[in-house]
Amino acid sequence: MSINYSEKIPNNVNLSEDRTLQRALEQWQPNYLNWWNDMGPDGSQNFDVYLRTAVSVDPQGWAQFGHVKMLDYRWGIFLNPAEQDRKIHFGDHLGDDAWQEVPGEYRANLRRIIVTQGDTEPASVEQQRHLGLTAPSQYDLRNLFQVNVEEGRHLWAMVYLLHKYFGRDGREEGEALLERRSGQTDNPRILQAFNEQTPDWLSFFMFTYFTDRDGKFQLCALAESAFDPLARTTKFMLTEEAHHMFVGESGVGRVISRTCQVMNELKTDDVAKIRAAGVIDLPTLQRYLNFHFSVTIDLFGADESSNAATFYSTGLKGRFEEGKRTDDHRLRSDSYKVLEVRNGQLVEKEVPMLNALNEVLRDDYIKDSIAGVGRWNKIIEKAGIPFQLKAPHKAFHRNIGALAGVKVSPDGKVISAAEWAAHADQWLPSASDRAFVASLMGRCIEPGKFANWIAPPVMGINRQPINFDYVRFN
Ligand SMILES: [Fe+2]
Ligand SMILES: [Fe+2]
């Protein structure tokens, strides 16, 4: 389980025993570092950052903390230990041995799945690259950098699979992953949410809460894969992912805390007064939530999808917690309800479950993400403020599948284009909301100090004090 750090590329896959692969990855490594230099955190390459690095894949004590420069971070290849005699537990191959190599007939689909997942990892680093310049505290700056280096490592995880199992095509995909750019028109990232901007820290916290959680669900589905190396690598990625969602949930929670504190001090719910006091009003938080929730649930893909059926039946991608479900794990005679618009109304329609597996995963995701919204509401309730945040209806502001382009209000009513236009600024962040939030962003980096719009965390990282020097600026 331990990781070999004496090699150029830290790994627990006996890389040195496969010279060709080692050489290919060692050729990719400088290109990766160039990409990090160009597209990684802006103006921060010289900082010493209190980062955790994976030193083992043992869930007890897998990480080690210390100050390092991000360029010196030991990105490497870490797979969860192999499960002996692992069997495929869903789809047409149920009961067969898990695959240690890629079956020829599934090569193209598997490559596509790995590339799509891999592409999101560097994309989010690119989206977040300017945020360090406006960090609300050293603690937050460190968390941003931690998320960034681990997304970089997740790219390594996918590139390892491409190099090891997909030959020349895999190496070409590995290069292309370093060439696409978030938000660029001629060579954008594959999925739309990863081409959106993350222009301010409220967006960052919403992104890590909602969009990194999409990552969790995709990784959980891939951790079930019949292709064992993919299952093992995604399982370890999930270990790292938990912190990203923590950054999002606690970040939004701290913004809420601070806002509620100011509302109580001023005894007001007047947005203008709250904004004048330099904190983010709750209706603006709601609009950011609406945006990130809706953009993220699009990532699960079309509600009816024959690809989703193929990926499942062929054993490439399972459901969330496949092993805990008690059905037949083939789903050929099951059905599932998806939404469509009929006569100007949202109605449910029964479809074969195999074709609705994107929707199944989306619904699991929605359940999980709504739970955190409930925890945020507890903070507001405790402060005695009569306001509740709410996840919008899943048909709101959608761009993929049967609901794409249909105008639906956050509470799930189909409306006209004119009604939408009249209300859009109440439902989604307006240009002036974004400008207001941007106006609050300024660098606050003295140890233990926090920007006015966010409360300090309850605890520091790795039991360090809150005023610890998480980042040394040199
Ligand atoms: Fe990731
Ligand atoms: Fe993540």
Side-chain angles (χ1 to χ4, degrees):
M1 284 214 231
S2 71
I3 289 168
N4 187 343
Y5 269 94
S6 63
E7 289 179 38
K8 223 165 155 184
I9 301 171
N11 70 89
N12 69 347
V13 293
N14 290 329
L15 192 56
S16 58
E17 281 171 19
D18 187 343
R19 288 284 169 195
T20 324
L21 174 65
Q22 188 179 33
R23 234 174 292 129
L25 283 166
E26 283 180 4
Q27 270 171 23
W28 185 79
Q29 190 175 35
N31 299 343
Y32 169 81
L33 292 173
N34 284 338
W35 166 80
W36 181 271
N37 241 326
D38 292 348
M39 298 311 295
D42 193 4
S44 317
Q45 306 293 7
N46 206 31
F47 302 169
D48 290 311
V49 187
Y50 188 65
L51 294 176
R52 70 175 182 191
T53 305
V55 287
S56 153
V57 292
D58 183 342
Q60 262 69 49
W62 62 276
Q64 175 185 294
F65 287 78
H67 282 92
V68 287
K69 291 196 184 12
M70 284 183 277
L71 254 185
D72 298 334
Y73 187 79
R74 301 302 312 273
W75 284 287
I77 300 156
F78 318 126
L79 269 64
N80 260 26
E83 207 180 288
Q84 251 204 329
D85 304 319
R86 181 169 172 256
K87 301 284 183 216
I88 300 170
H89 64 165
F90 64 92
D92 299 342
H93 302 289
L94 190 134
D96 293 359
D97 288 339
W99 314 318
Q100 301 307 325
E101 294 294 331
V102 178
E105 65 268 43
Y106 305 142
R107 202 166 178 275
N109 277 344
L110 258 177
R111 190 180 71 199
R112 180 167 154 202
I113 287 172
I114 293 168
V115 167
T116 308
Q117 178 61 41
D119 194 66
T120 66
E121 314 290 357
S124 66
V125 175
E126 292 166 0
Q127 288 171 294
Q128 295 162 12
R129 69 179 303 256
H130 301 300
L131 290 172
L133 305 174
T134 56
S137 73
Q138 260 197 41
Y139 166 90
D140 290 292
L141 185 59
R142 177 264 165 215
N143 284 347
L144 166 72
F145 291 155
Q146 182 71 62
V147 169
N148 292 160
V149 293
E150 284 172 353
E151 300 306 4
R153 207 206 65 73
H154 292 175
L155 172 60
W156 272 91
M158 294 297 111
V159 166
Y160 163 73
L161 294 177
L162 289 169
H163 274 221
K164 179 158 169 86
Y165 298 98
F166 295 87
R168 193 185 154 156
D169 304 0
R171 291 193 293 279
E172 283 171 9
E173 295 285 10
E175 289 305 323
L177 283 164
L178 297 175
E179 282 157 12
R180 285 186 286 274
R181 290 286 180 272
S182 175
Q184 213 178 57
T185 22
D186 50 341
N187 195 15
R189 291 296 173 183
I190 296 169
L191 301 169
Q192 185 44 34
F194 292 89
N195 286 307
E196 301 282 349
Q197 287 189 334
T198 311
D200 57 65
W201 278 76
L202 181 58
S203 302
F204 171 66
F205 291 136
M206 291 286 180
F207 184 98
T208 42
Y209 183 76
F210 287 107
T211 311
D212 282 70
R213 187 174 309 274
D214 158 70
K216 166 185 162 183
F217 278 77
Q218 300 298 342
L219 294 174
C220 281
L222 297 177
E224 308 286 346
S225 182
F227 180 45
D228 203 43
L230 177 61
R232 290 169 56 200
T233 197
T234 46
K235 272 183 196 147
F236 187 68
M237 290 161 79
L238 282 163
T239 317
E240 295 166 313
E241 203 62 52
H243 177 67
H244 307 181
M245 289 176 288
F246 160 80
V247 168
E249 179 166 344
S250 59
V252 174
R254 290 161 52 213
V255 177
I256 294 172
S257 280
R258 178 66 187 136
T259 299
C260 290
Q261 188 191 0
V262 168
M263 288 173 76
N264 281 335
E265 280 166 14
L266 301 179
K267 299 191 174 49
T268 186
D269 58 6
D270 180 331
V271 168
K273 285 184 187 154
I274 294 164
R275 287 190 173 194
V279 296
I280 303 169
D281 51 286
L282 299 175
T284 297
L285 276 161
Q286 176 69 61
R287 288 190 284 276
Y288 269 70
L289 187 162
N290 289 349
F291 176 78
H292 287 271
F293 180 87
S294 56
V295 166
T296 302
I297 62 174
D298 267 345
L299 285 171
F300 292 87
D303 20 22
E304 282 183 86
S305 158
S306 58
N307 274 334
T310 305
F311 293 171
Y312 184 84
S313 294
T314 55
L316 309 187
K317 184 177 175 184
R319 287 170 295 172
F320 177 62
E321 299 190 323
E322 183 71 44
K324 290 191 187 163
R325 299 179 192 241
T326 52
D327 50 32
D328 73 353
H329 301 280
R330 292 180 193 266
L331 312 178
R332 286 202 201 110
S333 41
D334 296 274
S335 60
Y336 198 74
K337 289 190 178 103
V338 298
L339 289 176
E340 65 171 7
V341 176
R342 219 182 296 146
N343 304 324
Q345 279 198 315
L346 284 172
V347 289
E348 284 184 329
K349 152 172 115 160
E350 199 83 44
V351 298
M353 189 185 268
L354 278 176
N355 287 326
L357 286 173
N358 286 341
E359 195 67 11
V360 171
L361 195 58
R362 179 166 24 245
D363 286 341
D364 288 331
Y365 166 87
I366 289 174
K367 235 184 275 157
D368 197 57
S369 59
I370 283 179
V373 177
R375 291 189 288 274
W376 292 335
N377 280 331
K378 284 267 181 304
I379 302 173
I380 306 176
E381 198 187 303
K382 255 194 170 164
I385 291 168
F387 186 97
Q388 280 208 320
L389 293 165
K390 211 169 169 252
H393 192 278
K394 81 170 164 183
F396 169 76
H397 189 231
R398 291 291 303 283
N399 258 312
I400 274 180
L403 302 169
V406 182
K407 302 292 180 219
V408 177
S409 65
D411 58 2
K413 267 190 233 87
V414 180
I415 53 172
S416 67
E419 278 175 282
W420 174 269
H423 291 281
D425 280 356
Q426 283 158 254
W427 295 336
L428 290 168
S430 65
S432 76
D433 289 336
R434 292 199 183 273
F436 167 68
V437 172
S439 77
L440 299 181
M441 299 295 124
R443 212 161 192 223
C444 181
I445 47 167
E446 247 174 89
K449 284 255 162 75
F450 289 81
N452 179 60
W453 55 271
I454 188 165
V458 183
M459 257 191 305
I461 292 295
N462 192 33
R463 295 196 204 92
Q464 297 291 359
I466 288 168
N467 65 359
F468 184 67
D469 57 340
Y470 290 105
V471 182
R472 296 177 186 148
F473 296 91
N474 302 315

